[in-house]
Amino acid sequence: MKKRIICGVLGALLTLPALGATQEAPEGYQLRQVLMMSRHNLRAPLANNGSVLEQSTSHPWPKWEVPGGQLTTKGGVLEIYMGRYMRQWLGEQGLVKGDDCPGDSQAYIYANSLQRTVATAQFFAAGAFPGCNIQVHHQAKMGTMDPVFNPVITRDDPAFSKAAVSAMEAQRSRYALDDSFKLLEEIADYKDSPVCKEQHQCELSGGKDSFSARLNQEPGVSGPLKVGNSLVDAFTLQYYEGFPEQEVAWGEIKSDRQWQLLSALKNSYQESLFTSPQVARNVAAPLINYIDKTLEASADKAPALTVLVGHDSNIASLLSALNFRPYQLPGQYEHTPIGGKLVFQRWHDGRANRELMKVEYVYQSSDQLRKAQPLSLENPPQRVTLELAGCPTDDNGFCPMDKFNEVMRQAAAGK
């Protein structure tokens, strides 16, 4: 199989014009139900002192206002902006009315039980429904993964584990990352790092990745891909948070080309672990079942708005398990951006008396995130219409609801 050089693709994406508001629905179409699967918003890096970040460079890391993994103040502001925009759009479509405060039967918000996901949900509610007492539902025990959002392996047979590892290795082989690793080595001065001096591991580009698929654990990898993801994730979050340019990656990232090369590491890490069909169908099964039951309910019985807040691994595995066609996100380096949302929209075509589904990726561009641009119908986030392989869309991005339901049923059954 030919190796795919992600950086070149990303370069093309970032030169495309930003997308504005969604196209107007055809005459006679009415929005009946919306389910949003959201990634949490801006957090501090997950890797803390003594971790891979500390071991991979002798350079000092900047201090964050919150502990590793927690939502930052700016992350809250960004989510308020997104919530406010979504309220305006939902109001424009007639799904919410005026300044009414919805109850659980109208708007249901459910988050994974970690600080960054619950806080994201709370800030979204504050932006979308200011002054309203909107409950954010989550497990009582904070700091533990909710099974609906926990992307772990649930099969215990050796044959599946072997097949899953092979699938992750095959996914990894699609990406040519030597140039990305070499750039990262230069930026981090990897040859002067503690791991080089103490363990004599002085190169990333020549290292080998080792994958794992163990029961009740997330798909895993050790080796240069994990190191690369951790460092690039930290650089990306510094950029979004608004750290001065001389502090983002110690001032060593000076061009879009460098961002493209580095982001290829982060994207390939996530896609290698979570997007092979064998792995995605397994780890996304609880989330697929939840979404299927919510959207399968008749529009007059389900909440008009359901908001789920989880992680990039949830979105990546969900997109793969449902077999969405490849997509591009103009203005973004990440394939599953911070705060981005898969927006499942159930519409009724009054003229033909039929139900339709439309799915969009709604997200903020890298520039919108760094500058913390307020969002509105006049200054919207980016919107990209997605297409399921099993539910082809028309020119306006709609596919028949019965075909969409069949895709969901097959995915829920692991097919």
Side-chain angles (χ1 to χ4, degrees):
M1 181 181 294
K2 288 186 177 181
K3 292 184 181 293
R4 182 159 62 106
I5 303 178
I6 296 301
C7 58
V9 177
L10 281 170
L13 303 190
L14 292 168
T15 60
L16 292 174
L19 301 184
T22 186
Q23 295 178 338
E24 289 186 10
E27 187 176 350
Y29 281 38
Q30 180 183 3
L31 184 61
R32 301 288 299 276
Q33 184 186 11
V34 168
L35 183 145
M36 301 180 191
M37 176 63 233
S38 175
R39 184 185 176 190
H40 60 77
N41 218 296
L42 183 58
R43 57 163 170 77
L46 292 169
N48 295 311
N49 291 342
S51 68
V52 63
L53 295 185
E54 296 287 328
Q55 292 297 309
S56 299
T57 183
S58 60
H59 298 321
W61 289 94
K63 302 298 182 184
W64 286 74
E65 63 172 359
V66 297
Q70 290 195 6
L71 196 77
T72 69
T73 300
K74 183 175 180 180
V77 171
L78 291 167
E79 195 61 31
I80 286 175
Y81 289 163
M82 183 65 88
R84 185 172 64 188
Y85 164 77
M86 283 297 187
R87 172 61 181 265
Q88 292 175 4
W89 175 69
L90 292 169
E92 185 182 54
Q93 303 304 324
L95 199 68
V96 297
K97 307 208 181 281
D99 296 325
D100 293 349
C101 289
D104 275 357
S105 62
Q106 298 167 297
Y108 190 83
I109 302 179
Y110 174 31
N112 189 27
S113 43
L114 301 183
Q115 186 271 351
R116 60 184 176 275
T117 44
V118 172
T120 294
Q122 291 169 335
F123 281 112
F124 178 89
F129 307 107
C132 298
N133 185 23
I134 303 295
Q135 182 179 1
V136 172
H137 300 266
H138 59 85
Q139 284 189 151
K141 188 175 182 181
M142 289 288 290
T144 59
M145 293 291 287
D146 185 316
V148 170
F149 299 99
N150 198 6
V152 297
I153 300 294
T154 59
R155 289 183 57 175
D156 193 21
D157 56 285
F160 173 80
S161 178
K162 183 178 179 180
V165 168
S166 295
M168 288 187 279
E169 291 172 343
Q171 193 75 4
R172 167 64 182 87
S173 71
R174 299 176 61 197
Y175 308 103
L177 298 174
D178 282 355
D179 288 346
S180 299
F181 279 126
K182 288 175 182 176
L183 175 60
L184 185 60
E185 289 170 1
E186 293 174 6
I187 289 174
D189 194 11
Y190 200 68
K191 290 186 177 180
D192 194 42
S193 67
V195 73
C196 177
K197 292 179 177 180
E198 298 168 10
Q199 301 179 34
H200 308 292
Q201 297 176 10
C202 300
E203 290 185 349
L204 293 169
S205 54
K208 180 174 174 55
D209 296 308
S210 178
F211 292 89
S212 62
R214 301 186 179 94
L215 179 66
N216 295 327
Q217 295 183 23
E218 288 191 18
V221 64
S222 59
L225 192 61
K226 182 176 181 179
V227 175
N229 174 71
S230 296
L231 270 65
V232 176
D233 179 63
F235 300 158
T236 303
L237 296 171
Q238 291 168 6
Y239 182 80
Y240 291 161
E241 183 69 12
F243 280 80
E245 289 188 7
Q246 65 270 22
E247 293 183 19
V248 176
W250 311 287
E252 294 297 324
I253 305 178
K254 304 179 187 299
S255 69
D256 279 345
R257 170 66 174 168
Q258 288 177 308
W259 273 117
Q260 293 155 19
L261 282 170
L262 294 171
S263 297
L265 295 172
K266 189 171 186 298
N267 292 325
S268 60
Y269 169 87
Q270 181 190 84
E271 290 167 11
S272 295
L273 291 181
F274 294 105
T275 67
S276 65
Q278 295 91 329
V279 173
R281 285 193 292 262
N282 183 256
V283 302
L287 183 59
I288 289 172
N289 281 312
Y290 186 94
I291 293 174
D292 185 36
K293 290 177 181 177
T294 302
L295 294 177
E296 193 176 40
S298 60
D300 57 345
K301 292 183 179 180
L305 173 65
T306 300
V307 180
L308 309 178
V309 183
H311 307 271
D312 51 358
S313 54
N314 295 136
I315 291 178
S317 58
L318 181 64
L319 287 170
S320 176
L322 296 180
N323 199 15
F324 276 90
R325 296 192 185 281
Y327 62 92
Q328 300 177 352
L329 301 183
Q332 254 296 344
Y333 297 105
E334 294 189 279
H335 289 177
T336 52
I338 281 284
K341 293 164 176 58
L342 297 181
V343 183
F344 295 83
Q345 307 161 33
R346 183 175 182 167
W347 292 78
H348 180 72
D349 175 5
R351 289 186 168 184
N353 192 26
R354 58 178 182 156
E355 298 291 305
L356 300 166
M357 172 60 62
K358 184 174 185 177
V359 185
E360 290 181 288
Y361 212 136
V362 182
Y363 64 97
Q364 289 155 290
S365 69
S366 297
D367 196 51
Q368 285 177 317
L369 290 168
R370 180 164 174 81
K371 294 178 180 177
Q373 295 179 3
L375 302 176
S376 66
L377 294 177
E378 291 71 36
N379 183 40
Q382 317 303 300
R383 301 184 72 133
V384 171
T385 301
L386 304 180
E387 182 177 2
L388 289 153
C391 193
T393 62
D394 61 21
D395 291 343
N396 294 302
F398 296 90
C399 78
M401 194 69 193
D402 58 343
K403 289 188 177 295
F404 174 80
N405 287 336
E406 181 60 27
V407 169
M408 294 297 295
R409 282 192 291 270
Q410 290 184 2
K415 297 180 180 179

